Amino acid sequence: MVLRIFAEFLAGIGLFAIAEGLTANHIPCPSAHDRARNPHRSGIAWSKSAVRVILTNPRYTGRQVWNKQRTDEVLLDVDDVAMGHTGIMRWHARDKWVVSKEISHEPLIDDATFEQAQAILEKRGRGTGGQHVKQRTRNPYVFRGLIYCAACDRRMQGQYNHGNAYYRCRFPQEYALANQIDHPRNVYLREDALTDPLDTWLASAFTPHRIEQTITAMADAQPLDHPPGHGKAAQAIITECDAKLERYRAALDAGADPAVVTKWITQTQTERARAEADLHAKAGNSPRRMSQAEITSLVTALGDIATVLRDADPADKSEVYRQLGLRLTYQPETQTVRAAVNLSAHRGVMVRVRGGT
């Protein structure tokens, strides 16, 4: 399949056409071939991105490749340094890659074929190593990552059009058409058609005849003050490091090379300090359970929940939806959205986003 993809691409066939041909020939796409590693993908058809990944993979030349990615430590919250850092994987430019001179496994294609494919992709701005320009948007999308297309069960993507936020699904333009899904060419949902009916529905959980049930559900849904297994991994690392340090000190007393053992001690002490900092960070970030009385006071202080949601900052509103575990599924044929959140019996509703209701 790799040989076929490279041959067709160099013959002038586009990525989408290659995907179409592979799907039409009933050849499983990578996610369908290896379901164990791709349970989050449907695997129903080849996509343009899957073909592009194969065309840009230098391992098919038989060589090992290192330094394709790096891990950058970034602050979890720039306004609160105490929250610590997290690792973000980022791509290196292709000239930073380290490629073995020797062949390490049987090659599927030669170097000339691979380089010819890269030259074509680079002309299109789609070469390896992140050379194409990524457009970053600053437009706020209240439902980012929360709306799914009922036709294909994929997340819908945000797009601004004439100053208004929309969510779209263009499955037929990204995946091969030769599959069993009956999917409109374009599915669009306007954001402001959904916000008011959704907020009104969420606020209904706090109406007088439902508020007691809702507050009880909120109280019961809180995590334990000290979750089971809290900090066990970090504590195990600390214990292991302490044992290592005792052995290294014994090795010094027995006459081992001080330079070598000192290096071991330094590395272990660094690892222990990192684990200890992680343990303290987890302990400090452990949320305290609120009582039902405290939740009631908080809800009462907010007043009209529908108004609060309507007037909220888009970023804050988006975070509220995310914390609720909100999932929206848009059915283009009926122009309805099924909304589901994790609030006990209040789990689903049908909302018409166009028309009178």
Side-chain angles (χ1 to χ4, degrees):
M1 290 308 103
V2 171
L3 288 171
R4 169 177 168 172
I5 288 172
F6 272 89
E8 290 185 357
F9 184 68
L10 296 185
I13 302 176
L15 302 181
F16 192 84
I18 294 174
E20 284 280 292
L22 293 169
T23 305
N25 292 155
H26 305 291
I27 296 168
C29 62
S31 59
H33 179 75
D34 189 355
R35 296 303 298 158
R37 292 197 301 172
N38 296 277
H40 59 296
R41 302 183 187 276
S42 64
I44 58 177
W46 281 80
S47 66
K48 293 187 293 185
S49 60
V51 175
R52 185 184 300 114
V53 166
I54 289 174
L55 288 170
T56 57
N57 189 348
R59 291 181 184 271
Y60 293 129
T61 63
R63 290 178 169 79
Q64 277 286 15
V65 183
W66 299 274
N67 203 42
K68 292 174 67 176
Q69 290 180 304
R70 68 182 186 277
T71 303
D72 290 342
E73 295 290 327
V74 298
L75 288 170
L76 287 169
D77 186 345
V78 294
D79 297 321
D80 187 359
V81 180
M83 288 186 66
H85 296 73
T86 185
I88 301 293
M89 296 296 294
R90 294 194 170 114
W91 287 96
H92 279 302
R94 195 179 169 210
D95 58 3
K96 300 291 185 182
W97 294 3
V98 178
V99 182
S100 66
K101 293 182 179 179
E102 302 297 328
I103 298 295
S104 62
H105 52 267
E106 182 181 354
L108 298 182
I109 55 171
D110 56 43
D111 292 333
T113 299
F114 182 77
E115 292 302 330
Q116 189 178 351
Q118 305 321 296
I120 295 173
L121 287 168
E122 287 174 12
K123 287 181 181 178
R124 301 178 182 179
R126 295 289 181 178
T128 54
Q131 295 170 353
H132 62 282
V133 177
K134 293 183 178 180
Q135 300 294 332
R136 291 186 175 270
T137 177
R138 295 295 179 185
N139 292 322
Y141 293 99
V142 175
F143 303 115
R144 184 189 298 274
L146 303 179
I147 301 184
Y148 292 76
C149 173
C152 61
D153 202 35
R154 295 173 69 240
R155 282 192 177 96
M156 297 177 67
Q157 299 172 326
Q159 180 185 28
Y160 262 73
N161 190 14
H162 301 297
N164 296 310
Y166 287 81
Y167 298 88
R168 68 179 184 180
C169 180
R170 299 193 297 176
F171 179 92
Q173 297 187 35
E174 298 174 16
Y175 283 78
L177 295 174
N179 58 66
Q180 303 302 315
I181 283 189
D182 182 16
H183 198 293
R185 182 163 292 277
N186 285 298
V187 174
Y188 281 92
L189 171 62
R190 184 161 162 166
E191 183 178 274
D192 59 12
L194 180 57
T195 49
D196 285 346
L198 178 67
D199 290 346
T200 301
W201 168 63
L202 289 173
S204 70
F206 298 92
T207 53
H209 67 285
R210 285 189 178 144
I211 189 167
E212 185 175 346
Q213 176 188 355
T214 300
I215 290 175
T216 300
M218 293 170 69
D220 293 343
Q222 296 178 95
L224 299 173
D225 284 331
H226 300 287
H230 173 75
K232 279 188 176 180
Q235 189 60 59
I237 293 174
I238 292 173
T239 302
E240 183 182 356
C241 288
D242 288 341
K244 286 182 179 179
L245 290 171
E246 287 296 326
R247 292 198 296 270
Y248 297 157
R249 293 188 183 102
L252 279 176
D253 294 340
D257 186 345
V260 175
V261 177
T262 300
K263 183 179 179 181
W264 293 346
I265 291 175
T266 302
Q267 292 173 342
T268 305
Q269 287 175 334
T270 301
E271 185 180 0
R272 188 188 191 283
R274 190 183 298 116
E276 198 166 34
D278 183 48
L279 183 63
H280 291 322
K282 288 181 178 177
N285 292 333
S286 180
R288 181 183 68 83
R289 286 177 61 90
M290 295 178 67
S291 66
Q292 287 197 216
E294 289 174 318
I295 296 174
T296 302
S297 298
L298 180 61
V299 171
T300 303
L302 286 172
D304 184 356
I305 302 294
T307 302
V308 172
L309 285 171
R310 186 184 66 241
D311 297 338
D313 178 86
D316 293 337
K317 181 183 286 193
S318 181
E319 183 60 23
V320 168
Y321 295 151
R322 207 169 304 281
Q323 292 291 341
L324 285 172
L326 178 67
R327 179 187 171 105
L328 303 168
T329 305
Y330 179 49
Q331 176 55 259
E333 292 183 359
T334 58
Q335 295 183 340
T336 54
V337 172
R338 172 167 289 278
V341 296
N342 189 19
L343 275 182
S344 63
H346 220 59
R347 289 188 181 274
V349 71
M350 295 298 291
V351 177
R352 181 165 294 283
V353 296
R354 293 180 187 175
T357 56

